[in-house]
Structures are given as structure tokens and as C-alpha cells.
Amino acid sequence: MEQKQKSEFTKQLILNESFKLFYKNGFKTTSVDKIMKTTNLTKGAFYHHYKSKKELGLEVISSKIQQRVYQGMITPLYQDGNALAILKVTFSERLKSFSQYDKQHGCPMNNFINEIADEEEAYQLALKRIVEEWKAALVYLLERGKKEHVINKTISSNAVAVYLISSFEGIRGIRKLYNDDSVLDDYILGLSLYLNQLKP
């Protein structure tokens, strides 16, 4: 393996394992030593790629977490079809698709927001960027739905977008308290009732 490839492999290993550890144990309680022990790498290897745990945390947010949100919640909003139906499917099917592990540990982005977003502006900005792009995708879909007469033209697209994101992230956190999906089922029913109110 060429040195450049080996270096990139090492960096991806650190990134992937760090994301898993942050998700499972939290950002603050996961030390560089713990990451190195999990990856079987030296501290020298870590500091060759990252100046600090903060820099690593920012890359986890801008790559791993952003990728999850994009794939699951943003990209589907730009597909063709009935806007209201896309909203229902995107939000409810995403919840249903999570593994038991994901349900028990909640949303990685929301966990980061709750744990560190109020302490460091750099984290705040990185996480806010993802939320704003999610919001923009929702506003785009809602505005398209208005033009196509499937969504009430009088509703505030910004308000609906913020509400949908907030309720989705909230239920991800609340689900951590339960041993089954009954609370998710209630959320999905409530979501359906809410979305039906957006019809013209």
C-alpha cells in the first residue's frame, strides 16, 4: 500500500471509530487515548492527522454526521412527486428504518447539539450549517407543494420546516427513554395528523 493510501486509510479509521465512540459514549467522555486504543494506533498517528480532539470533532460533524442527515433527511426532499407524500414518507420511514442501536442512542447530531453546541462556537456553526441546509430543503419542498396546489399557500414554510425538524429531533431523544417503539408510533400518527392540516 502506498504511503498516501496508508495515510488516508489511517485517517478514515480514526474518523470512523471516533464517530462510533462519540455516538456510544458521548464526545466529552471519549478521550484521544480511548480512540487510539480502539484503533490500535499510536498518539503520533492521531496527531499526524489532527491537531486536537476539537479538530477531529469538527470533521466528524462535517463528514459523518452531515452525511447521515443528507442521505436520510435532505436528499429525499429533492425528489419528484407529491410534496406532502414525500414529507410523510421521509419522516416516518426514516424513523422506522433505524436499528435498535440507533433508537437506543438517539440522533448523533442532536446528541452533539445537546452535549457541546453551547460551549464552542465552531461546533455550533458546524451543526447549525447542517440544520440550515435541512431547513432549506424543507422550505424548497413546501414552496413547490404550494405551487402544485398540494400544500396550503397561507402556511409559513419556514415555521413548518423548523417545527418538523424540532419534532423529529425531539422524538429521537425521547425514544432513548423507552424499551419499545410505541412512542414512535404515536409520533408518526401525530405527524400524519399535522401534515394533513397542511393541505389546501
Side-chain angles (χ1 to χ4, degrees):
M1 188 184 295
E2 291 182 21
Q3 187 58 39
K4 189 175 180 181
Q5 288 178 310
K6 188 177 180 181
S7 180
E8 185 58 31
F9 175 81
T10 300
K11 186 175 184 179
Q12 286 304 314
L13 178 64
I14 294 170
L15 195 62
N16 292 337
E17 292 305 315
S18 297
F19 169 74
K20 292 176 189 173
L21 289 169
F22 295 158
Y23 191 20
K24 182 180 180 183
N25 304 316
F27 179 77
K28 290 180 182 177
T29 58
T30 302
S31 64
V32 171
D33 285 335
K34 176 70 174 173
I35 295 166
M36 294 303 94
K37 185 177 179 183
T38 304
T39 57
N40 291 317
L41 295 170
T42 64
K43 270 194 174 180
F46 178 88
Y47 288 109
H48 174 72
H49 294 286
Y50 299 100
K51 293 176 186 174
S52 63
K53 183 180 155 187
K54 175 185 172 182
E55 186 177 72
L56 171 63
L58 288 170
E59 187 156 347
V60 166
I61 292 168
S62 65
S63 61
K64 305 298 289 184
I65 292 177
Q66 181 172 305
Q67 184 181 50
R68 280 177 63 113
V69 177
Y70 264 74
Q71 288 178 346
M73 300 306 299
I74 295 177
T75 302
L77 300 176
Y78 287 107
Q79 64 186 314
D80 294 331
N82 182 291
L84 209 54
I86 290 170
L87 283 175
K88 285 183 181 179
V89 170
T90 301
F91 280 82
S92 61
E93 292 305 314
R94 181 66 172 157
L95 281 177
K96 292 174 185 175
S97 74
F98 288 120
S99 66
Q100 191 61 29
Y101 184 89
D102 283 337
K103 290 172 183 175
Q104 290 172 337
H105 288 83
C107 172
M109 181 176 72
N110 202 25
N111 292 349
F112 262 84
I113 290 171
N114 288 324
E115 189 180 8
I116 61 171
D118 61 335
E119 296 178 7
E120 181 72 55
E121 188 178 8
Y123 296 132
Q124 189 179 62
L125 292 172
L127 291 160
K128 184 179 176 183
R129 192 175 301 117
I130 300 171
V131 171
E132 285 297 316
E133 291 186 25
W134 188 2
K135 179 184 166 188
L138 282 164
V139 169
Y140 165 82
L141 180 64
L142 290 162
E143 289 299 311
R144 179 168 72 77
K146 289 179 184 180
K147 290 175 186 173
E148 295 171 359
H149 309 291
V150 293
I151 289 178
N152 190 327
K153 290 183 179 180
T154 65
I155 63 113
S156 165
S157 295
N158 279 308
V160 171
V162 169
Y163 180 79
L164 288 172
I165 292 170
S166 301
S167 66
F168 184 84
E169 290 302 312
I171 198 61
R172 292 294 315 278
I174 291 169
R175 173 59 179 82
K176 293 193 282 187
L177 304 174
Y178 293 83
N179 295 320
D180 60 43
D181 288 345
S182 58
V183 71
L184 293 185
D185 294 335
D186 287 339
Y187 169 81
I188 290 169
L189 176 59
L191 174 69
S192 180
L193 294 171
Y194 175 75
L195 292 178
N196 281 337
Q197 293 178 33
L198 302 182
K199 292 179 180 177

